[in-house]
Every structure is written in C-alpha cells, then in structure tokens.
Amino acid sequence: MRNSYKNLLLITLITVLITACSDFRKLRKSDDWEKKYDAAINYYEQGEYYRANVLLEQILPIIKGSEKAEIANFYYGYTYYYQGQYLLASHYFKTFYDTFNRSQFAEEARFMFGYSLFQDSPRYNLDQVSSKEAIVALQGFINLYPNSKFVPKADAALGQLRSKLERKAYEKALLYYDLKKFMTGEYLKASLVEFDNFQDDFPGSSFTEEIQYLEIEAMYNLAEVSIYSVKKERYLEAISFYETFIETYENSKYLKKAQDIYEDCLEQIRKLNS
C-alpha cells in the first residue's frame, strides 16, 4: 500500500514536470509578448530564474520604452544574479541604473552593480582586478547614497575586499623576500620596494610589524652583498629602519632578532671605518 502511494506521487510529479516543460516550450515559441511577460514575472516570483531569464531576454527588445520595461529590466539583472552569473548581473544592473536612473529601483540597482562584482571577487591569491572594480563601484554607491539601507552591506563587502587586497600585497612582498635565498641585490631591492608599497597602501595593517622587521633584515642582507662603496650607507639605512621599528614595537616578538642585526650593523660600520 505504501509503495503504491509512493509510486502514485512519483507519477504525479513526473506528469507535472512534463506539463510544465511543455508549457514553457510553448511560451518560448509564442508570439504573444504579454503572455510571455506575465509568465516571466510569475517564474521570477516562484524562484525559477532560468525560465524567467529566457522569456525576459525574448521580450525586452519588444517592450523597450513601455511601462513594463522598467520592472522587466530590473528583474532581468536579478535572474543572472540568482543563477550565480555575477559579471552578467553587474552589467545589467549598471545598464538598468544608466537607463532608469529616476526609477524607484535605481538605488538598489546601483548597489547590486557593485555587490555583484563583490560576489565575483576571487580568492586573495588570484588576480584581484574584479575586487578593485567592486571597491570603486561600492564606494561610489556609498558616496551617492550615504543614507541608503544598503550602506551597511556595502561597508561589510568593502571590508572583505580590502582585506583580500591587503593579503595579496602581503603575500607578494613575502614572495619577493623569499627569493633572498639567491642573495642577489636585485631581489632584495625588489622586496624593499614591496615592503614600502605595502606600508603606503595599508597603513595600520596587522602585517605591518612583520613587514617592518623584514625591512630591517632585507636592508642588512643587501648591505652584506653590496660593493664596498655602498656598504656603510646601507648598514646605516638598516639601523634607521631598526630605530623606527623599536619606537613602535618595543615589545615585539621580533625584537631580539632586530637587536642582533642592529648590533652587527654597528660592528660592520666600525670595521669599515677602521
């Protein structure tokens, strides 16, 4: 009896699905744009975003300039967003905002343009071009709508995006410094440039303490492999980095290592002077 009931339910479900698919195919082939519009809105509200997208794509050129074009274009952007196609979603939200900038949905579309780019942002160790685009878009939204209900969500997204860029810059700086094993001046100079850039781009970062210590170490190593005429100058630069470091991080876990480098710098300068 129970198996018969399950079989009946399964047959009913299959019948409903077949009928629904048949109805959708008929709608796609139909010339009645109003019927397609109503069905697309219905599909959207039921969460069937693929079908809504297909029908909206067919009728958008037809209803351009009409009263129904506004909501259709707005929903069209969301059909891509809810299917995880964030780049296309961002494009159509921007297109909506540019076209219907006086719409009641304009503010939300402007936010979703940036938020879709945020959703498309990759892991920190991959290329961060889309993250930078998302930051520009979301910051532009906040500047334009500072009192919007979407600002907290935009701020949270901005925080995550900036953290990715910070981690990416940190890893890049470390990558250059890791090449010090070759002990060539070029790699050490490159790492010093990256350390400097990191501190300019991310003041107050949680990685700054480590970066400033590595800056001392890198300059010391550069002095070690430098020609005689610039050795003293570079040891002095390493000492300058050390003095800046201990002013800020007097209880640092890197303090002992930094002090050892500092003392050796003084010793090397004494030898050079003599």
Side-chain angles (χ1 to χ4, degrees):
M1 190 75 171
R2 183 177 297 177
N3 288 337
S4 297
Y5 179 70
K6 286 183 178 179
N7 290 336
L8 180 60
L9 282 178
L10 182 60
I11 292 169
T12 303
L13 178 60
I14 292 171
T15 302
V16 169
L17 289 173
I18 291 172
T19 302
C21 290
S22 177
D23 291 342
F24 179 64
R25 283 196 296 270
K26 289 177 182 177
L27 279 168
R28 290 182 67 176
K29 295 177 181 179
S30 173
D31 293 327
D32 189 338
W33 69 264
E34 290 183 319
K35 184 182 289 186
K36 285 185 176 181
Y37 173 85
D38 291 339
I41 300 302
N42 187 50
Y43 280 136
Y44 178 86
E45 290 174 347
Q46 291 179 13
E48 296 190 44
Y49 302 114
Y50 168 74
R51 290 181 176 182
N53 176 277
V54 170
L55 296 179
L56 287 171
E57 186 173 13
Q58 289 182 337
I59 65 172
L60 282 175
I62 300 171
I63 64 175
K64 186 176 181 179
S66 71
E67 292 181 3
K68 294 183 176 181
E70 181 181 326
I71 190 68
N73 277 277
F74 185 62
Y75 281 7
Y76 191 56
Y78 266 117
T79 60
Y80 281 114
Y81 180 84
Y82 287 130
Q83 291 182 84
Q85 299 183 56
Y86 299 120
L87 278 180
L88 283 170
S90 69
H91 169 74
Y92 286 108
F93 281 126
K94 186 178 186 302
T95 300
F96 179 90
Y97 181 83
D98 291 342
T99 307
F100 304 97
N101 53 34
R102 294 187 179 181
S103 165
Q104 61 176 318
F105 305 115
E107 178 184 325
E108 184 173 349
R110 181 64 184 257
F111 165 71
M112 288 303 300
F113 161 54
Y115 200 73
S116 297
L117 289 173
F118 159 69
Q119 294 284 39
D120 190 61
S121 173
R123 287 172 52 83
Y124 77 88
N125 56 334
L126 300 176
D127 185 84
Q128 293 298 308
V129 170
S130 60
S131 294
K132 293 174 182 177
E133 291 175 350
I135 287 173
V136 171
L138 288 168
Q139 190 59 60
F141 168 77
I142 291 173
N143 294 343
L144 197 60
Y145 299 101
N147 300 314
S148 171
K149 67 180 182 180
F150 299 110
V151 165
K153 201 170 181 180
D155 274 333
L158 281 170
Q160 292 184 50
L161 290 164
R162 286 169 178 150
S163 291
K164 284 185 183 182
L165 295 185
E166 180 182 339
R167 183 64 183 272
K168 179 77 171 179
Y170 167 74
E171 296 285 352
K172 182 182 178 184
L174 289 190
L175 175 63
Y176 276 103
Y177 190 60
D178 284 344
L179 295 172
K180 74 180 186 298
K181 59 190 175 185
F182 298 108
M183 288 303 289
T184 64
E186 293 308 311
Y187 287 124
L188 289 164
K189 287 176 186 177
S191 67
L192 285 163
V193 170
E194 291 302 325
F195 292 151
D196 194 47
N197 289 342
F198 181 88
Q199 292 176 80
D200 287 342
D201 294 339
F202 305 100
S205 167
S206 60
F207 299 118
T208 301
E209 179 182 351
E210 181 183 359
I211 291 294
Q212 286 195 2
Y213 164 70
L214 291 176
E215 201 168 33
I216 301 168
E217 199 176 85
M219 184 57 74
Y220 170 76
N221 287 331
L222 181 59
E224 290 282 280
V225 299
S226 295
I227 59 174
Y228 179 82
S229 61
V230 295
K231 274 183 177 292
K232 181 177 178 180
E233 176 189 344
R234 287 173 175 168
Y235 283 127
L236 287 171
E237 286 188 67
I239 288 172
S240 178
F241 287 149
Y242 166 78
E243 290 172 343
T244 300
F245 177 77
I246 60 171
E247 284 179 7
T248 309
Y249 304 105
E250 58 182 12
N251 297 313
S252 172
K253 64 181 180 179
Y254 302 108
L255 188 59
K256 178 63 170 63
K257 290 181 178 180
Q259 287 174 336
D260 289 344
I261 292 172
Y262 167 70
E263 290 170 5
D264 195 58
C265 284
L266 292 176
E267 177 64 17
Q268 295 304 322
I269 291 171
R270 186 189 65 77
K271 290 179 180 178
L272 289 167
N273 287 338
S274 63

